[in-house]
Structures are given as C-alpha cells and as structure tokens.
C-alpha cells in the first residue's frame, strides 16, 4: 500500500528501512510521518515497524491502535496489531492470551479477500512474528484449517512450512498433492503445482518436477511461472531444448515484463543455435531486471553468447561485472549463480 499523503522523498526512507528490516529506523521515519498526518496507511506502517521489532515501544503501538478503535474489527492489519500487542504484553505468560491471539489471527485471515494474495502473504509473515518456531506455527495452522473460511490457503501455508522448515517433508508433499486435486481456490492450486515442482527440482528429481509442471499446465496453460520453470528444466537439466521452446515462448507471452522469462527464452535460443534471437532476449532480460539481482543470470548467459562468438573480451567484462555485483551486495547468491559464473570463467580461461 502506498503512502499517498507523503512525497516520495519523505516516504522512501520508510520503505528502504522496512525492506532491510531495520525496524527502529523504520519506526522513526514512520512516527515522524504520523506526527504530520494520522492517515490509516501511515498508522499501519508505524504499527508494523514497532511491533515487528522485539524492542519496539508497545505503549506507542497501543496509542496508535486506539486512534482506529472503531475500525479494528473490520481491518485485518489492525486485528493483527492487536494480537501482536497481546503477545508482547504477555510474553512471560503467553498461554494466558494464546486463545485470544489465535482468534484474532483467524479473524484477520477471514476478512481478507481470497484474491488478495499480497494480503494473504502478509498475514503469513505476521503469523511467523507471533509464532517464530516452526512447530508452533504448524500447530496454529492445524487448528486454523478447521475454522477458517480460507482453509485451502492455511493448508498451503502449512505444506510450505513442512517442506521448508518443520522437518515434515513427506507430509508437505502429501498436502500439496491433496491441494492440487481438491482445493477449490485456483490460486492455491496453481501455487501448489509451482511449489511441488520446485521442491522436486531442488531435490534433483527433474523428470518428476517436469511431470508435475506439465500436469499443471494442463489446468492452467497460461501460467507464466510454470511455463518458465518447465522450459528451464527441459533445456538445462534434461537436454530437451526443442521441447522447451513453446513453454519458454508462452512464459514471455504471459509475462512480457519478466526478466526471468526472457532469460529462459534466451537460454533456449542459445541451445537451439539461434544466437541472434538469444542475444536479443538476454539483453531484454537485463534491461527488464534493472538493478535487481535478477540481472545476474542473463548477464552470465549473455557472456556465454559472446564467448561462443569468439568475443572473449566482452564475455570477460560481463563475468567481471557479475562478480562485482555479487561482491557489492555481500552475498553469494543462489548456488546456480556461482556455478554458472565459474563455468563461464573456466571457458574464457580455456580450462
């Protein structure tokens, strides 16, 4: 949600600090805005930055929440704030307010429209603020699934948690398969196809991942991410570039602004020997990615294009630029980034 009452110059620091999760600084900027205007959006930014910070001033949060007392029961974000305040006020005896907190979490969820996936994702993050331990989160999800009108979403979040953190991988897989066959919400079914395929892919089960994604496209043929993932697994891991092409092309048609989709299309073109089309797709992918880390894969792949053309100078420059980006942001990036970069550097060095 944008802060309409502030200029971009004033509002930007709030978002920058929220993105870096520097909650004390976010709260400072948000409270300065709150002193100027008691708009709802600014109040929510204040509540988030205060209550997501373990050292945040709960009394300040309570004062802001009282400003919207008449609206609390109609606004999910305010209900969540009430739950966080109860948790913080009773940190040493949480069991005393746990039922109230759980009721608030479920009430907030039920107020969210099933089409508002952004709000549903925010709700999931807020649950983790209240229940940081995966086992506690899973226990809450199990209870909420029997009560919430958004049962499909709760079950998806639980499956996601089981696969990633809770140590119940096989249960998570079963949950996703159940959602694929039985969920009434199309967004949940699409996400279940995506996540199940991705999970199998990360476990090096590329053929099974491709089967899941292909089945998903039987139901949702224009989903850009499933098309993109299937194309990438076909071309990179299964050596089936010709089969990958229609899926890569569909991904770009469905999400023309996606740098990931354009990058995959460029990789497919390279594998098929369509060099100039590959260059165009990869350059477009870099342009679409802007200054985000998403520009790294197409830069590496474009380096491969120039190496194949015999232009080792340009290929070397692109490799150095990728290295500089990774070093500047202080991260290694996904393992494939480093693997692909090292492979490009080995080719350039003639090793």
């Amino acid at each position: 949600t944008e802060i309409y009452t502030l200029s971009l110059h004033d509002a930007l620091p709030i978002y920058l600090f929220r993105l870096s999760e520097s909650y004390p600084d976010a709260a400072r900027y948000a409270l300065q805005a709150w002193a100027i205007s008691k708009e709802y959006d600014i109040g929510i930014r204040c509540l988030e930055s205060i209550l997501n910070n373990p050292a945040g001033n709960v009394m300040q949060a309570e004062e802001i929440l009282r400003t919207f007392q008449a609206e609390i029961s109609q606004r999910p974000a305010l209900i969540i704030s009430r739950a966080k305040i109860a948790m913080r006020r009773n940190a040493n005896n949480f069991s005393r307010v746990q039922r109230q907190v759980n009721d608030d979490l479920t009430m907030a969820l039920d107020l969210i429209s099933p089409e508002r996936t952004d709000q549903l994702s925010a709700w999931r993050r807020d649950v983790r603020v209240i229940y940081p331990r995966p086992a506690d989160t899973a226990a809450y999800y199990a209870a909420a699934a029997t009560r919430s009108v958004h049962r499909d979403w709760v079950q998806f979040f639980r499956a996601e948690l089981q696969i990633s953190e809770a140590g119940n991988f096989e249960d998570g897989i079963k949950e996703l398969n159940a959602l694929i066959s039985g969920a009434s919400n199309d967004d949940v079914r699409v996400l279940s196809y995506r996540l199940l395929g991705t999970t199998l892919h990360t476990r090096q089960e590329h053929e099974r991942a491709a089967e899941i994604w292909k089945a998903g496209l039987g139901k949702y043929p224009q989903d850009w991410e499933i098309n993109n993932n299937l194309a990438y697994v076909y071309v990179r891991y299964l050596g089936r570039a010709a089969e990958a092409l229609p899926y890569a092309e569909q991904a770009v048609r469905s999400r023309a602004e996606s740098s990931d989709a354009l990058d995959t299309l460029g990789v497919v073109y390279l594998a098929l020997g369509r060099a100039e089309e590959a260059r165009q797709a990869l350059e477009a992918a870099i342009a679409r990615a802007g200054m985000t880390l998403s520009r790294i894969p197409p830069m590496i792949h474009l380096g491969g294009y120039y190496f194949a053309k015999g232009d080792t100078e340009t290929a070397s420059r692109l490799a150095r630029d990728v290295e500089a980006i990774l070093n500047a942001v202080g991260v290694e990036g996904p393992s494939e980034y480093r693997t692909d970069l090292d492979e490009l550097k080995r080719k350039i060095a003639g090793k």
Side-chain angles (χ1 to χ4, degrees), residues 270 275 301-312 315 344 347:
L270 282 175
H301 298 142
L302 188 61
Y305 159 82
Y306 280 109
F307 174 79
K309 294 269 291 182
D311 187 349
T312 56
L344 175 60
K347 288 180 178 177

Side-chain angles (χ1 to χ4, degrees), residues 109 123 138 140-146 148 150-163 171-180 182-185 188 192 195:
L109 175 62
W123 176 87
Y140 167 69
Y141 284 156
T146 66
S148 174
H150 295 316
R151 180 182 178 184
D152 288 348
W153 279 107
V154 175
Q155 289 179 314
F156 175 77
F157 293 147
R158 182 172 62 182
E160 185 181 45
L161 179 73
Q162 288 169 329
I163 287 170
D171 288 341
I173 293 294
K174 290 177 184 176
E175 191 97 69
L176 290 175
N177 277 310
L179 288 168
I180 283 171
S184 58
N185 184 288
V188 171
S192 297
L195 180 57

Side-chain angles (χ1 to χ4, degrees), residues 3-237:
I3 300 179
Y4 296 104
T5 53
L6 299 177
S7 69
L8 179 60
H9 178 270
D10 291 329
L12 185 58
I14 299 174
Y15 287 100
L16 290 176
F17 283 117
R18 285 185 67 228
L19 286 172
S20 65
E21 296 190 353
S22 179
Y23 293 116
D25 290 317
R28 178 164 56 88
Y29 281 98
L31 287 167
Q32 288 176 6
W34 178 250
I36 298 169
S37 173
K38 299 298 188 287
E39 293 288 333
Y40 172 78
D41 287 342
I42 298 174
I44 289 299
R45 300 290 83 78
C46 291
L47 289 168
E48 287 179 351
S49 54
I50 292 169
L51 294 172
N52 289 351
N53 172 19
N57 189 325
V58 178
M59 290 183 64
Q60 281 183 324
E62 288 174 322
E63 182 180 345
I64 294 167
L65 189 62
R66 280 195 292 271
T67 304
F68 304 109
Q69 187 66 41
E71 303 175 56
I72 291 177
S73 62
Q74 285 82 44
R75 290 188 179 267
L78 296 177
I79 297 171
I80 290 287
S81 296
R82 182 172 67 188
K84 290 178 182 176
I85 289 171
M87 175 197 70
R88 293 281 296 278
R89 283 296 189 198
N90 296 272
N92 295 325
N93 189 17
F94 181 60
S95 61
R96 191 169 73 86
V97 295
Q98 187 171 12
R99 177 175 292 184
Q100 171 199 332
V101 168
N102 287 354
D103 287 347
D104 275 349
L105 287 173
T106 306
M107 182 190 305
L109 175 62
D110 287 350
L111 286 173
I112 299 173
S113 169
E115 290 77 31
R116 291 300 304 271
T117 55
D118 57 333
Q119 291 186 6
L120 290 161
S121 293
W123 176 87
R124 175 189 55 182
R125 291 193 298 271
D126 286 326
V127 170
R128 296 309 303 273
V129 172
I130 292 172
Y131 288 119
R133 293 178 61 246
D136 294 336
T137 310
Y140 167 69
Y141 284 156
T146 66
R147 302 171 54 204
S148 174
V149 298
H150 295 316
R151 180 182 178 184
D152 288 348
W153 279 107
V154 175
Q155 289 179 314
F156 175 77
F157 293 147
R158 182 172 62 182
E160 185 181 45
L161 179 73
Q162 288 169 329
I163 287 170
S164 62
E165 297 181 61
N168 299 320
F169 179 84
E170 294 302 329
D171 288 341
I173 293 294
K174 290 177 184 176
E175 191 97 69
L176 290 175
N177 277 310
L179 288 168
I180 283 171
S181 61
S184 58
N185 184 288
D186 281 331
D187 287 329
V188 171
R189 294 182 73 183
V190 168
L191 288 171
S192 297
Y193 277 117
R194 289 180 182 178
L195 180 57
L196 181 54
T198 299
T199 300
L200 294 169
H201 164 60
T202 58
R203 289 167 66 90
Q204 307 301 311
E205 297 183 51
H206 305 305
E207 284 284 4
R208 285 187 65 198
E211 290 171 6
I212 292 296
W213 286 326
K214 199 165 184 179
L217 292 176
K219 300 286 186 181
Y220 306 100
Q222 296 187 355
D223 183 77
W224 84 270
E225 188 169 324
I226 299 179
N227 275 287
N228 181 69
N229 290 348
L230 180 58
Y232 193 71
V233 163
Y234 271 164
V235 68
R236 181 183 173 99
Y237 295 98

